[in-house]
Amino acid sequence: MLIALSFIGLLLLCVVNAWVFQRIFARSYLDWYTGAGPIIAIATAAFGAAWGGLDKNPALVSANPLSYLGACLQVAGLPLVASGAHLRTANRRSPIGIEVLPLLILALALSLAIIGWLVLIVPAQYFLFLVAGAFSRAALSSSAQVRARLRSGQVDINEDKDADAARPGVDWWDASMRGKPVTLASAYGAAILFLLGLVLPV
């Protein structure tokens, strides 16, 4: 039931966004979303900074809308918690001083960016990642472990059926793409948005 409600909620948010964009900005929401790559990248980088990489939260590519929404709220919440921790008086080694004004402006900008990300990007991104995240979900549910190394211009490949298999050597790297589910989905998503941008009417 909650899963169905989450799916309907994300779909309704997309419909509301489409109506608002058409009514207020006289522009298609889909057209804005396909062209907003740089803005989305900046917002994602800001949230990813606190996580040390969004790939630590693979539920961001989940097909389950409830898990996806939970992951997005976690992504949005951690930068706020981290920022608040740095600003608390008990954690300060020295007073903030004259930096209080720019800090207030930056905190407000971060809060607005998070709200904008949750309202404008998260709903459409769910439906984008339903397609673009398919390979990431397949890799996460696979037990195969693919490793590679480069020697004398040749690529050697080692494939194990067990993801916990011992590494064959220090000069090998993990080529399974399992460890970067969000990065991989984002790359596929960027390609899809690029293609949509080419075919959508200007």
Side-chain angles (χ1 to χ4, degrees), residues 112-140:
L112 290 174
I114 287 172
I115 292 169
W117 182 73
L118 288 171
V119 173
L120 298 176
I121 296 170
V122 163
Q125 185 175 267
Y126 170 74
F127 295 101
L128 176 65
F129 276 11
L130 267 182
V131 177
F135 190 88
S136 295
R137 292 189 292 273
L140 286 169

mmCIF file of all heavy atoms in Angstrom, residues 112-140:
data_model
loop_
_atom_site.group_PDB
_atom_site.id
_atom_site.type_symbol
_atom_site.label_atom_id
_atom_site.label_comp_id
_atom_site.label_asym_id
_atom_site.label_seq_id
_atom_site.Cartn_x
_atom_site.Cartn_y
_atom_site.Cartn_z
ATOM 1 N N LEU A 112 17.305 26.013 0.494
ATOM 2 C CA LEU A 112 16.475 26.216 -0.699
ATOM 3 C C LEU A 112 16.841 25.216 -1.794
ATOM 4 O O LEU A 112 15.963 24.697 -2.492
ATOM 5 C CB LEU A 112 16.618 27.648 -1.210
ATOM 6 C CG LEU A 112 15.997 28.735 -0.326
ATOM 7 C CD1 LEU A 112 16.323 30.123 -0.871
ATOM 8 C CD2 LEU A 112 14.487 28.548 -0.214
ATOM 9 N N ALA A 113 18.151 24.951 -1.932
ATOM 10 C CA ALA A 113 18.604 23.989 -2.938
ATOM 11 C C ALA A 113 18.073 22.594 -2.626
ATOM 12 O O ALA A 113 17.649 21.856 -3.528
ATOM 13 C CB ALA A 113 20.131 23.969 -3.005
ATOM 14 N N ILE A 114 18.068 22.244 -1.343
ATOM 15 C CA ILE A 114 17.574 20.931 -0.941
ATOM 16 C C ILE A 114 16.073 20.808 -1.214
ATOM 17 O O ILE A 114 15.601 19.803 -1.748
ATOM 18 C CB ILE A 114 17.885 20.668 0.545
ATOM 19 C CG1 ILE A 114 19.388 20.395 0.711
ATOM 20 C CG2 ILE A 114 17.073 19.511 1.103
ATOM 21 C CD1 ILE A 114 19.852 20.298 2.136
ATOM 22 N N ILE A 115 15.329 21.859 -0.862
ATOM 23 C CA ILE A 115 13.884 21.848 -1.125
ATOM 24 C C ILE A 115 13.626 21.762 -2.629
ATOM 25 O O ILE A 115 12.787 20.983 -3.094
ATOM 26 C CB ILE A 115 13.213 23.101 -0.520
ATOM 27 C CG1 ILE A 115 13.273 23.039 1.008
ATOM 28 C CG2 ILE A 115 11.767 23.222 -0.993
ATOM 29 C CD1 ILE A 115 12.880 24.331 1.699
ATOM 30 N N GLY A 116 14.361 22.568 -3.402
ATOM 31 C CA GLY A 116 14.217 22.538 -4.860
ATOM 32 C C GLY A 116 14.545 21.172 -5.438
ATOM 33 O O GLY A 116 13.842 20.677 -6.324
ATOM 34 N N TRP A 117 15.605 20.553 -4.908
ATOM 35 C CA TRP A 117 16.003 19.220 -5.377
ATOM 36 C C TRP A 117 14.910 18.200 -5.075
ATOM 37 O O TRP A 117 14.557 17.387 -5.929
ATOM 38 C CB TRP A 117 17.324 18.833 -4.715
ATOM 39 C CG TRP A 117 17.870 17.506 -5.143
ATOM 40 C CD1 TRP A 117 18.442 17.201 -6.352
ATOM 41 C CD2 TRP A 117 17.892 16.296 -4.370
ATOM 42 N NE1 TRP A 117 18.828 15.873 -6.366
ATOM 43 C CE2 TRP A 117 18.503 15.297 -5.167
ATOM 44 C CE3 TRP A 117 17.473 15.971 -3.082
ATOM 45 C CZ2 TRP A 117 18.696 14.000 -4.710
ATOM 46 C CZ3 TRP A 117 17.663 14.667 -2.627
ATOM 47 C CH2 TRP A 117 18.271 13.698 -3.439
ATOM 48 N N LEU A 118 14.370 18.257 -3.852
ATOM 49 C CA LEU A 118 13.335 17.301 -3.454
ATOM 50 C C LEU A 118 12.053 17.464 -4.274
ATOM 51 O O LEU A 118 11.401 16.482 -4.629
ATOM 52 C CB LEU A 118 13.020 17.448 -1.964
ATOM 53 C CG LEU A 118 14.085 16.934 -0.990
ATOM 54 C CD1 LEU A 118 13.742 17.342 0.442
ATOM 55 C CD2 LEU A 118 14.230 15.417 -1.086
ATOM 56 N N VAL A 119 11.695 18.710 -4.578
ATOM 57 C CA VAL A 119 10.424 18.981 -5.261
ATOM 58 C C VAL A 119 10.538 18.862 -6.779
ATOM 59 O O VAL A 119 9.663 18.295 -7.443
ATOM 60 C CB VAL A 119 9.893 20.381 -4.875
ATOM 61 C CG1 VAL A 119 8.674 20.758 -5.703
ATOM 62 C CG2 VAL A 119 9.555 20.424 -3.392
ATOM 63 N N LEU A 120 11.631 19.393 -7.350
ATOM 64 C CA LEU A 120 11.737 19.488 -8.804
ATOM 65 C C LEU A 120 12.504 18.340 -9.455
ATOM 66 O O LEU A 120 12.205 17.964 -10.592
ATOM 67 C CB LEU A 120 12.408 20.816 -9.190
ATOM 68 C CG LEU A 120 11.676 22.088 -8.771
ATOM 69 C CD1 LEU A 120 12.498 23.312 -9.130
ATOM 70 C CD2 LEU A 120 10.298 22.158 -9.417
ATOM 71 N N ILE A 121 13.482 17.812 -8.766
ATOM 72 C CA ILE A 121 14.366 16.827 -9.392
ATOM 73 C C ILE A 121 14.043 15.399 -8.968
ATOM 74 O O ILE A 121 13.987 14.490 -9.803
ATOM 75 C CB ILE A 121 15.840 17.174 -9.090
ATOM 76 C CG1 ILE A 121 16.182 18.517 -9.743
ATOM 77 C CG2 ILE A 121 16.782 16.085 -9.590
ATOM 78 C CD1 ILE A 121 17.511 19.091 -9.348
ATOM 79 N N VAL A 122 13.826 15.200 -7.678
ATOM 80 C CA VAL A 122 13.609 13.844 -7.152
ATOM 81 C C VAL A 122 12.452 13.104 -7.838
ATOM 82 O O VAL A 122 12.607 11.936 -8.203
ATOM 83 C CB VAL A 122 13.425 13.891 -5.616
ATOM 84 C CG1 VAL A 122 12.807 12.610 -5.087
ATOM 85 C CG2 VAL A 122 14.771 14.143 -4.939
ATOM 86 N N PRO A 123 11.281 13.730 -8.050
ATOM 87 C CA PRO A 123 10.180 12.978 -8.688
ATOM 88 C C PRO A 123 10.526 12.510 -10.105
ATOM 89 O O PRO A 123 10.329 11.343 -10.439
ATOM 90 C CB PRO A 123 9.029 13.990 -8.706
ATOM 91 C CG PRO A 123 9.364 14.978 -7.650
ATOM 92 C CD PRO A 123 10.851 15.084 -7.637
ATOM 93 N N ALA A 124 11.044 13.422 -10.923
ATOM 94 C CA ALA A 124 11.379 13.047 -12.307
ATOM 95 C C ALA A 124 12.547 12.077 -12.340
ATOM 96 O O ALA A 124 12.588 11.168 -13.185
ATOM 97 C CB ALA A 124 11.709 14.308 -13.112
ATOM 98 N N GLN A 125 13.483 12.234 -11.410
ATOM 99 C CA GLN A 125 14.653 11.355 -11.388
ATOM 100 C C GLN A 125 14.260 9.906 -11.079
ATOM 101 O O GLN A 125 14.893 8.974 -11.561
ATOM 102 C CB GLN A 125 15.660 11.854 -10.349
ATOM 103 C CG GLN A 125 16.957 11.072 -10.341
ATOM 104 C CD GLN A 125 17.964 11.679 -9.399
ATOM 105 O OE1 GLN A 125 18.786 12.484 -9.805
ATOM 106 N NE2 GLN A 125 17.892 11.320 -8.131
ATOM 107 N N TYR A 126 13.210 9.732 -10.276
ATOM 108 C CA TYR A 126 12.761 8.361 -9.990
ATOM 109 C C TYR A 126 12.392 7.648 -11.288
ATOM 110 O O TYR A 126 12.809 6.517 -11.534
ATOM 111 C CB TYR A 126 11.560 8.363 -9.041
ATOM 112 C CG TYR A 126 10.919 6.995 -8.928
ATOM 113 C CD1 TYR A 126 11.546 5.983 -8.207
ATOM 114 C CD2 TYR A 126 9.729 6.702 -9.593
ATOM 115 C CE1 TYR A 126 10.987 4.706 -8.138
ATOM 116 C CE2 TYR A 126 9.165 5.434 -9.526
ATOM 117 C CZ TYR A 126 9.796 4.447 -8.787
ATOM 118 O OH TYR A 126 9.257 3.188 -8.730
ATOM 119 N N PHE A 127 11.597 8.321 -12.132
ATOM 120 C CA PHE A 127 11.151 7.695 -13.370
ATOM 121 C C PHE A 127 12.305 7.550 -14.366
ATOM 122 O O PHE A 127 12.355 6.583 -15.127
ATOM 123 C CB PHE A 127 9.986 8.486 -13.962
ATOM 124 C CG PHE A 127 8.766 8.454 -13.086
ATOM 125 C CD1 PHE A 127 8.451 9.526 -12.265
ATOM 126 C CD2 PHE A 127 7.964 7.324 -13.041
ATOM 127 C CE1 PHE A 127 7.338 9.483 -11.432
ATOM 128 C CE2 PHE A 127 6.852 7.267 -12.210
ATOM 129 C CZ PHE A 127 6.541 8.353 -11.406
ATOM 130 N N LEU A 128 13.243 8.500 -14.328
ATOM 131 C CA LEU A 128 14.440 8.374 -15.160
ATOM 132 C C LEU A 128 15.269 7.169 -14.728
ATOM 133 O O LEU A 128 15.706 6.363 -15.550
ATOM 134 C CB LEU A 128 15.281 9.654 -15.075
ATOM 135 C CG LEU A 128 16.618 9.642 -15.826
ATOM 136 C CD1 LEU A 128 16.391 9.541 -17.332
ATOM 137 C CD2 LEU A 128 17.434 10.888 -15.493
ATOM 138 N N PHE A 129 15.455 7.029 -13.397
ATOM 139 C CA PHE A 129 16.279 5.937 -12.872
ATOM 140 C C PHE A 129 15.586 4.574 -12.956
ATOM 141 O O PHE A 129 16.247 3.555 -12.839
ATOM 142 C CB PHE A 129 16.686 6.231 -11.423
ATOM 143 C CG PHE A 129 17.898 7.120 -11.308
ATOM 144 C CD1 PHE A 129 18.417 7.780 -12.410
ATOM 145 C CD2 PHE A 129 18.518 7.306 -10.092
ATOM 146 C CE1 PHE A 129 19.528 8.603 -12.313
ATOM 147 C CE2 PHE A 129 19.642 8.122 -9.976
ATOM 148 C CZ PHE A 129 20.142 8.765 -11.090
ATOM 149 N N LEU A 130 14.254 4.567 -13.138
ATOM 150 C CA LEU A 130 13.574 3.293 -13.395
ATOM 151 C C LEU A 130 14.176 2.628 -14.635
ATOM 152 O O LEU A 130 14.327 1.402 -14.697
ATOM 153 C CB LEU A 130 12.077 3.511 -13.613
ATOM 154 C CG LEU A 130 11.160 3.382 -12.408
ATOM 155 C CD1 LEU A 130 9.711 3.579 -12.822
ATOM 156 C CD2 LEU A 130 11.336 2.066 -11.684
ATOM 157 N N VAL A 131 14.540 3.465 -15.617
ATOM 158 C CA VAL A 131 15.166 2.962 -16.843
ATOM 159 C C VAL A 131 16.688 2.976 -16.702
ATOM 160 O O VAL A 131 17.355 1.961 -16.880
ATOM 161 C CB VAL A 131 14.732 3.815 -18.059
ATOM 162 C CG1 VAL A 131 15.429 3.348 -19.325
ATOM 163 C CG2 VAL A 131 13.225 3.775 -18.227
ATOM 164 N N ALA A 132 17.236 4.148 -16.355
ATOM 165 C CA ALA A 132 18.692 4.315 -16.334
ATOM 166 C C ALA A 132 19.372 3.503 -15.235
ATOM 167 O O ALA A 132 20.554 3.194 -15.335
ATOM 168 C CB ALA A 132 19.039 5.802 -16.164
ATOM 169 N N GLY A 133 18.621 3.148 -14.196
ATOM 170 C CA GLY A 133 19.207 2.400 -13.092
ATOM 171 C C GLY A 133 19.071 0.896 -13.215
ATOM 172 O O GLY A 133 19.477 0.155 -12.307
ATOM 173 N N ALA A 134 18.539 0.428 -14.351
ATOM 174 C CA ALA A 134 18.308 -1.012 -14.520
ATOM 175 C C ALA A 134 19.614 -1.801 -14.431
ATOM 176 O O ALA A 134 19.684 -2.841 -13.762
ATOM 177 C CB ALA A 134 17.615 -1.279 -15.856
ATOM 178 N N PHE A 135 20.664 -1.310 -15.093
ATOM 179 C CA PHE A 135 21.932 -2.042 -15.048
ATOM 180 C C PHE A 135 22.535 -2.005 -13.647
ATOM 181 O O PHE A 135 23.105 -3.003 -13.187
ATOM 182 C CB PHE A 135 22.926 -1.458 -16.055
ATOM 183 C CG PHE A 135 24.148 -2.315 -16.225
ATOM 184 C CD1 PHE A 135 24.165 -3.345 -17.149
ATOM 185 C CD2 PHE A 135 25.270 -2.111 -15.445
ATOM 186 C CE1 PHE A 135 25.283 -4.153 -17.292
ATOM 187 C CE2 PHE A 135 26.386 -2.911 -15.575
ATOM 188 C CZ PHE A 135 26.402 -3.937 -16.505
ATOM 189 N N SER A 136 22.408 -0.883 -12.962
ATOM 190 C CA SER A 136 22.916 -0.777 -11.588
ATOM 191 C C SER A 136 22.229 -1.788 -10.683
ATOM 192 O O SER A 136 22.881 -2.455 -9.872
ATOM 193 C CB SER A 136 22.698 0.639 -11.049
ATOM 194 O OG SER A 136 23.449 1.581 -11.772
ATOM 195 N N ARG A 137 20.915 -1.911 -10.813
ATOM 196 C CA ARG A 137 20.171 -2.867 -9.986
ATOM 197 C C ARG A 137 20.568 -4.304 -10.322
ATOM 198 O O ARG A 137 20.688 -5.153 -9.436
ATOM 199 C CB ARG A 137 18.662 -2.655 -10.159
ATOM 200 C CG ARG A 137 18.165 -1.339 -9.574
ATOM 201 C CD ARG A 137 16.648 -1.266 -9.571
ATOM 202 N NE ARG A 137 16.076 -1.196 -10.893
ATOM 203 C CZ ARG A 137 15.880 -0.066 -11.574
ATOM 204 N NH1 ARG A 137 16.236 1.093 -11.047
ATOM 205 N NH2 ARG A 137 15.339 -0.087 -12.774
ATOM 206 N N ALA A 138 20.813 -4.565 -11.615
ATOM 207 C CA ALA A 138 21.247 -5.902 -12.022
ATOM 208 C C ALA A 138 22.620 -6.221 -11.436
ATOM 209 O O ALA A 138 22.861 -7.332 -10.958
ATOM 210 C CB ALA A 138 21.284 -6.002 -13.549
ATOM 211 N N ALA A 139 23.523 -5.230 -11.457
ATOM 212 C CA ALA A 139 24.867 -5.444 -10.915
ATOM 213 C C ALA A 139 24.829 -5.647 -9.407
ATOM 214 O O ALA A 139 25.543 -6.489 -8.859
ATOM 215 C CB ALA A 139 25.763 -4.249 -11.273
ATOM 216 N N LEU A 140 23.967 -4.879 -8.713
ATOM 217 C CA LEU A 140 23.872 -5.004 -7.255
ATOM 218 C C LEU A 140 23.326 -6.366 -6.836
ATOM 219 O O LEU A 140 23.660 -6.864 -5.757
ATOM 220 C CB LEU A 140 22.964 -3.892 -6.697
ATOM 221 C CG LEU A 140 23.571 -2.485 -6.662
ATOM 222 C CD1 LEU A 140 22.496 -1.453 -6.360
ATOM 223 C CD2 LEU A 140 24.698 -2.406 -5.643
#
